Amino acid sequence: MSITLPALPYGGGELAPHISEQTLGFHHGKHHQTYVTNLVKLIEGTELEGQSLEAIVKASAGDPARAGIFNNAAQVWNHTFYFHCMKSGGGGKPQGALAERLAKDFGSVEAFLEQFKQAGLTQFGSGWAWLVEDAGVLKVTKTANADTPMAHGQKALLTADVWEHAYYLDFQNRRADYLDAFLAHLVDWDFVATQL
Ligand code: MN3
């Protein structure tokens, strides 16, 4: 199994005006590609070469000697997952079984949406906001840098990239506005529901 850059599930301009074609071009074509290129180089000739991305993330998590492998592998996974969490004409309120689970575990869908936004807003520096399933319960979490729920035994259901490269060209320093646009216009709730 070779590690390659997955294609975006939509055209580069389809998330505009919320995320511009320029942002997506740099984010996927440069940042995501660089993590792929670095990972391929780092695992070449090691016992991790030929393993799945998930296996590489789990094998390197928590191992200081393999921090470079973990950071690049987790970032490849996080970005592929993030890009699949969005679609043109997405956002708004989740429906059906997902909405019922959110209401059960957070009190209401609105309470979940607010917690998710706050997780993204309060992640100091670079990182990610997540909706995860942890031992059967839905939770909002945040991780720093490349860290990923898989490394903590949690299943990711939704993520927002809050590294500045995800929003700076479109929103400059206004991370809250990016998170509002993400939730109101971009989240692919059908994809999130399929992760349950
Ligand atoms: Mn990113």
Side-chain angles (χ1 to χ4, degrees):
M1 189 178 298
S2 61
I3 304 294
T4 56
L5 181 70
L8 288 174
Y10 32 74
E14 283 185 43
L15 302 186
H18 312 293
I19 292 180
S20 64
E21 184 162 16
Q22 189 185 25
T23 291
L24 213 50
F26 277 106
H27 204 173
H28 178 252
K30 302 295 184 188
H31 293 277
H32 199 180
Q33 176 67 65
T34 297
Y35 298 126
V36 170
T37 302
N38 288 344
L39 179 61
V40 168
K41 279 185 202 156
L42 286 165
I43 63 173
E44 196 179 352
T46 75
E47 77 279 9
L48 296 176
E49 189 174 11
Q51 293 197 27
S52 71
L53 183 60
E54 288 79 3
I56 295 167
V57 170
K58 288 175 181 171
S60 58
D63 180 353
R66 295 202 278 200
I69 289 173
F70 175 78
N71 285 336
N72 284 283
Q75 284 293 77
V76 173
W77 194 93
N78 289 347
H79 280 89
T80 301
F81 189 76
Y82 165 69
F83 289 133
H84 279 84
C85 285
M86 299 185 287
K87 67 176 182 182
S88 175
K93 296 276 170 64
Q95 306 292 328
L98 174 62
E100 288 168 21
R101 283 289 301 277
L102 291 168
K104 174 173 168 282
D105 291 346
F106 292 93
S108 67
V109 168
E110 292 72 20
F112 153 70
L113 293 170
E114 182 57 27
Q115 275 192 40
F116 186 87
K117 179 183 173 184
Q118 286 303 318
L121 261 182
T122 57
Q123 171 53 39
F124 186 79
S126 296
W128 302 81
W130 303 90
L131 171 66
V132 302
E133 188 171 27
D134 186 359
V137 179
L138 302 192
K139 295 177 181 172
V140 165
T141 66
K142 52 189 176 182
T143 61
N145 301 319
D147 198 12
T148 190
M150 197 191 309
H152 305 279
Q154 300 166 332
K155 181 174 174 47
L157 305 179
L158 168 68
T159 194
D161 187 344
V162 295
W163 286 58
E164 283 188 342
H165 66 225
Y167 60 88
Y168 210 86
L169 293 174
D170 299 320
F171 296 93
Q172 293 77 51
N173 62 315
R174 292 175 286 113
R175 190 188 286 189
D177 291 351
Y178 157 66
L179 289 165
D180 283 340
F182 178 85
L183 291 170
H185 302 291
L186 296 174
V187 176
D188 183 348
W189 291 116
D190 293 332
F191 173 79
V192 177
T194 64
Q195 305 305 303
L196 266 179

